[in-house]
Amino acid sequence: MMRILPEQGSVARIMQLSKSIAILLAGLISTLAGPAFAEPPGRVVSMNLCTDQLVLMLADPGQVVSVSYLAARAQDSLLANQTEGLILNHGQAEEVLPLKPDLVVAGIYTTRFTVQIMKQRSIPVLDLPPAENFEDVRSNIRAVAMALGVKERGEALITQMDQRISDLSARVSGQPQSRALIYRAGGYTLGPDTFAGALLTLAGYRNVATDYGVQKWGAVPVEAVLQLKPDLLVVGVYRQNAPSLARDVTEHPALRHRMPRIVEVPTRHWACGTPAALDIVERLIDQRESFLAKRPS
């Protein structure tokens, strides 16, 4: 029996560690690249609201058999009108398996038990992270387009998005920056390191949530909002005519009477990172231009 000297043992451990790292990197690269197919998948199931919308934007007719039930709800989805005839799922394995998918698209924080079952059964899964900026949107579009076998369509969508971003950026270039705060039910706000925050920045606003110490998510009481004095209060609305105690804070008389400008935005417009969110950027720029035009020189 060969005796391994201490030095040899160290080398062996290093080699084993290197091998383990290589395996982990290979797995990570595979996850980021998404599943590879000899032919485009013909039975695609999406189990996440945000992946639903990217899949519906990019897929060929008849390629998608099921999306999440949220995709069909107009208060949640911008593409609810494209879900007719599709099977709606709740991300449950017993719903997905009978559909015999050859690709499942999911979000990295949702339906994890079902995703695990799919992988155990060797069903290809594309896991997508939520977008926090437009670079993330580009990456997610490319991943979905590659998995669906429509790479060129994905690149065309990115080109259109980038052109619109360029056009919108030109509208605010060289203009003085305005101050804005996103305000949602319960006093919840979104900082610059979120997708909604990226929309605000693109529209030429400085997100004053940072003045309250919020970079991503947090709550800001009404008193603090009044002290921050944003030029624009962007109120996120989930259901326009659905009163709730949580939404009462966004209807507070002090805000409604003392804020220079308030614009209500359905949260479905920024809930997911898609090119369609640029509609909100254009609306916010319109508000900004109107405000600046009326501001004393």
Short mmCIF file of all heavy atoms in Angstrom, two decimals, residues 20 88 97 132 138 158 175 202 265 269 285:
data_model
loop_
_atom_site.label_atom_id
_atom_site.label_comp_id
_atom_site.label_asym_id
_atom_site.label_seq_id
_atom_site.Cartn_x
_atom_site.Cartn_y
_atom_site.Cartn_z
N SER A 20 -13.34 20.24 -7.90
CA SER A 20 -14.65 20.64 -7.39
C SER A 20 -15.04 22.01 -7.91
O SER A 20 -16.19 22.25 -8.30
CB SER A 20 -14.65 20.64 -5.86
OG SER A 20 -14.38 19.35 -5.35
N LEU A 88 -53.42 27.59 -17.62
CA LEU A 88 -52.87 28.40 -16.55
C LEU A 88 -52.42 27.49 -15.40
O LEU A 88 -53.15 26.58 -15.01
CB LEU A 88 -53.89 29.41 -16.05
CG LEU A 88 -54.47 30.35 -17.11
CD1 LEU A 88 -55.46 31.32 -16.48
CD2 LEU A 88 -53.35 31.12 -17.83
N LEU A 97 -46.32 18.41 -14.85
CA LEU A 97 -45.89 17.12 -15.38
C LEU A 97 -46.84 16.54 -16.44
O LEU A 97 -46.38 16.03 -17.46
CB LEU A 97 -45.69 16.12 -14.24
CG LEU A 97 -44.43 16.33 -13.40
CD1 LEU A 97 -44.41 15.38 -12.20
CD2 LEU A 97 -43.17 16.13 -14.24
N GLU A 132 -32.93 43.81 -12.29
CA GLU A 132 -32.79 45.01 -11.46
C GLU A 132 -32.34 46.21 -12.28
O GLU A 132 -32.30 47.33 -11.77
CB GLU A 132 -31.79 44.76 -10.33
CG GLU A 132 -32.27 43.70 -9.33
CD GLU A 132 -31.32 43.52 -8.17
OE1 GLU A 132 -30.20 44.09 -8.21
OE2 GLU A 132 -31.68 42.82 -7.21
N ARG A 138 -31.58 42.59 -20.78
CA ARG A 138 -30.92 42.07 -21.99
C ARG A 138 -30.50 40.61 -21.78
O ARG A 138 -30.70 39.77 -22.67
CB ARG A 138 -29.69 42.92 -22.34
CG ARG A 138 -30.02 44.35 -22.76
CD ARG A 138 -28.77 45.13 -23.15
NE ARG A 138 -29.08 46.54 -23.31
CZ ARG A 138 -28.94 47.46 -22.36
NH1 ARG A 138 -28.44 47.12 -21.18
NH2 ARG A 138 -29.27 48.72 -22.58
N ILE A 158 -33.95 43.32 -28.34
CA ILE A 158 -32.97 44.11 -27.60
C ILE A 158 -32.58 45.37 -28.37
O ILE A 158 -32.46 46.46 -27.80
CB ILE A 158 -31.72 43.25 -27.29
CG1 ILE A 158 -32.06 42.17 -26.28
CG2 ILE A 158 -30.58 44.13 -26.78
CD1 ILE A 158 -30.97 41.14 -26.07
N GLN A 175 -30.42 68.32 -19.12
CA GLN A 175 -31.47 68.99 -18.36
C GLN A 175 -31.20 68.88 -16.86
O GLN A 175 -30.58 67.91 -16.41
CB GLN A 175 -32.83 68.37 -18.68
CG GLN A 175 -33.26 68.50 -20.13
CD GLN A 175 -33.49 69.95 -20.52
OE1 GLN A 175 -34.04 70.73 -19.75
NE2 GLN A 175 -33.05 70.30 -21.72
N LEU A 202 -33.57 56.60 -15.55
CA LEU A 202 -33.59 56.81 -17.00
C LEU A 202 -34.46 58.00 -17.37
O LEU A 202 -34.17 58.71 -18.34
CB LEU A 202 -34.11 55.54 -17.70
CG LEU A 202 -34.20 55.57 -19.22
CD1 LEU A 202 -32.83 55.88 -19.85
CD2 LEU A 202 -34.73 54.24 -19.76
N VAL A 265 -49.09 55.11 -11.08
CA VAL A 265 -48.60 54.16 -12.07
C VAL A 265 -49.00 52.75 -11.65
O VAL A 265 -48.66 52.32 -10.54
CB VAL A 265 -47.06 54.23 -12.20
CG1 VAL A 265 -46.56 53.16 -13.15
CG2 VAL A 265 -46.62 55.61 -12.66
N HIS A 269 -46.55 47.67 -14.51
CA HIS A 269 -45.64 48.24 -15.50
C HIS A 269 -44.18 48.10 -15.09
O HIS A 269 -43.29 48.15 -15.93
CB HIS A 269 -45.97 49.71 -15.76
CG HIS A 269 -47.21 49.92 -16.58
ND1 HIS A 269 -47.20 49.86 -17.96
CD2 HIS A 269 -48.49 50.16 -16.22
CE1 HIS A 269 -48.43 50.07 -18.41
NE2 HIS A 269 -49.22 50.24 -17.37
N ILE A 285 -41.03 61.16 -18.07
CA ILE A 285 -40.33 62.26 -18.73
C ILE A 285 -41.32 63.37 -19.08
O ILE A 285 -41.02 64.56 -18.92
CB ILE A 285 -39.59 61.76 -19.99
CG1 ILE A 285 -38.40 60.88 -19.58
CG2 ILE A 285 -39.09 62.95 -20.82
CD1 ILE A 285 -37.66 60.27 -20.76
#
